[in-house]
Amino acid sequence: MMSLQNDGVTVVAEDSTPIAGDPAALRRRLREQGMLLFRGLLPEARPAELRARFAAVLRRHDWLADATPDSATDGDGGGLRPAANRRDGSPRWWRMYEDLQSVELMHELAHAPQLVRLMTAILGKPLLNHTRRQVSLMHPGFWIPPHQEHTYVQGTPDVLTAWVPFTAFPADGGTLRVLRERAVPGVRPLTVHDSGGVEAVVEPGEGDWWRAPDLGPGDVVVMHALATRAVDENVSPFLRGAVEYRYQSSREPVCLASLRPHHYPRVPGWEVLAAGWNDRRWLRVPLRVRQVDFLLPERQESWHELLPRPVSRLVDVEPGRT
């Protein structure tokens, strides 16, 4: 099980719903906390419908136990009971994930008016809605170690991620955490474990962990790309899930990978994934976006040395650190 002990404390994240219409207050809280939590920002029916669409894909690929209910309100609080011995990375997993990426509603939901208004309030116009959208599936026993999205997204440091659960995330189902810091330390060094896992280095006493407990369909957590985030181990017997949408100003640089499908080219391009959709406007991007190269080191431990020092207009970056 992942440990987040760093001599700090863990505090429950503050609900930012009351200030959702105040751009200055949103930017101020984001600068102070690195994250924003919104209860019921989206109509619950939309992520619940997405859960049903995803469940159909998972069931078609034999990824769910037969007893998994069809309704998000049936007994398990919106969790999905996975079939035994189903894990990421297998050939069967890639075929299943391709079909998840083909679900049009997942891409449509990234354009929900509530999300677009919120991101525009923080980032300003014109807005770039990344078309690389991620489905995070949390199996029982799975956790996500501390990391910064900027390392893997790059482009402008001022990318915001909307973490949108389509199942419940109760206390035992994997709690999302974000490190609260007075200033982010730039790009953190990475540690590669013998198991192959990678995590960002967080020194003792660097900050406190904000905790976003008991999330469910309709709730949204917004996080800055330089914020350090993690998800606790899912000790429930259910599969938990969220989609991750990313936004930035279209005046700032973006990597081409952020405009392609998640896990491309292991997952096919849009001409395959979007075949049969009712509308492809979910994939549109503003004209004349400035694309930059994605920087990949020879060794992951040296990634922080390869990436340029980030300059942000949304969060404070510590002086004198890479």
Side-chain angles (χ1 to χ4, degrees):
M1 182 174 180
M2 181 183 66
S3 173
L4 294 180
Q5 293 179 355
N6 67 323
D7 294 343
V9 298
T10 300
V11 290
V12 176
E14 188 173 2
D15 186 359
S16 293
T17 307
I19 62 170
D22 186 337
L26 289 171
R27 287 192 288 269
R28 183 166 55 250
R29 183 169 294 177
L30 182 68
R31 184 177 297 275
E32 293 170 352
Q33 301 181 5
M35 66 166 292
L36 301 166
L37 167 64
F38 300 92
R39 297 289 188 186
L41 181 69
L42 298 173
E44 185 177 345
R46 300 311 306 282
E49 181 183 356
L50 183 62
R51 173 204 185 274
R53 302 277 182 91
F54 282 168
V57 171
L58 294 166
R59 186 171 289 107
R60 188 166 68 247
H61 286 271
D62 298 323
W63 221 260
L64 296 180
D66 292 339
T68 295
D70 291 325
S71 171
T73 60
D74 285 346
D76 67 349
L80 303 165
R81 189 179 293 275
N85 300 320
R86 296 289 188 268
R87 287 295 183 266
D88 294 4
S90 68
R92 294 180 65 182
W93 185 90
W94 286 108
R95 292 193 291 271
M96 177 271 293
Y97 194 74
E98 176 182 337
D99 285 352
L100 291 179
Q101 284 288 324
S102 294
V103 173
E104 182 179 359
L105 179 59
M106 192 262 283
H107 300 274
E108 177 186 349
L109 193 58
H111 290 264
Q114 299 89 340
L115 285 175
V116 172
R117 282 196 299 268
L118 177 64
M119 294 300 181
T120 301
I122 301 170
L123 292 164
K125 295 183 178 180
L127 190 69
L128 172 57
N129 190 328
H130 288 200
T131 52
R132 179 173 63 181
R133 292 150 189 154
Q134 181 174 344
V135 185
S136 292
L137 299 176
M138 296 282 297
H139 289 82
F142 185 80
W143 67 87
I144 299 176
H147 67 287
Q148 294 170 298
E149 289 294 293
H150 178 61
T151 305
Y152 308 102
V153 176
Q154 299 184 30
T156 174
D158 285 333
V159 172
L160 299 182
T161 296
W163 201 83
V164 182
F166 57 86
T167 71
F169 275 81
D172 65 348
T175 298
L176 178 66
R177 298 176 186 264
V178 178
L179 191 64
R180 180 180 63 174
E181 306 168 275
R182 293 178 180 175
V184 298
V187 181
R188 289 184 179 275
L190 297 177
T191 295
V192 180
H193 300 293
D194 293 340
S195 63
V198 180
E199 69 174 88
V201 175
V202 180
E203 300 294 343
E206 283 203 65
D208 303 328
W209 287 97
W210 285 107
R211 178 170 60 93
D214 300 324
L215 296 175
D219 298 334
V220 175
V221 179
V222 174
M223 297 169 283
H224 191 274
L226 289 173
T228 301
R229 68 195 71 173
V231 180
D232 286 347
E233 181 181 3
N234 176 13
V235 297
S236 80
F238 300 110
L239 184 71
R240 305 296 178 180
V243 287
E244 298 184 31
Y245 301 138
R246 296 182 180 92
Y247 306 82
Q248 67 171 81
S249 168
S250 66
R251 294 192 174 98
E252 296 177 344
V254 62
C255 289
L256 176 60
S258 293
L259 307 180
R260 287 175 167 162
H262 185 231
H263 283 315
Y264 178 88
R266 289 293 300 269
V267 168
W270 297 121
E271 68 281 357
V272 173
L273 295 180
W277 285 10
N278 293 320
D279 199 328
R280 294 198 179 194
R281 62 192 174 98
W282 324 122
L283 305 178
R284 291 176 189 165
V285 298
L287 296 175
R288 299 178 182 176
V289 293
R290 180 159 61 95
Q291 295 183 17
V292 294
D293 292 334
F294 185 85
L295 301 179
L296 188 65
E298 294 183 3
R299 297 172 60 253
Q300 293 189 75
E301 294 93 335
S302 62
W303 220 334
H304 65 291
E305 299 171 352
L306 179 65
L307 293 176
R309 176 170 176 76
V311 177
S312 171
R313 62 188 175 92
L314 295 178
V315 296
D316 296 320
V317 180
E318 286 185 13
R321 291 184 64 171
T322 56

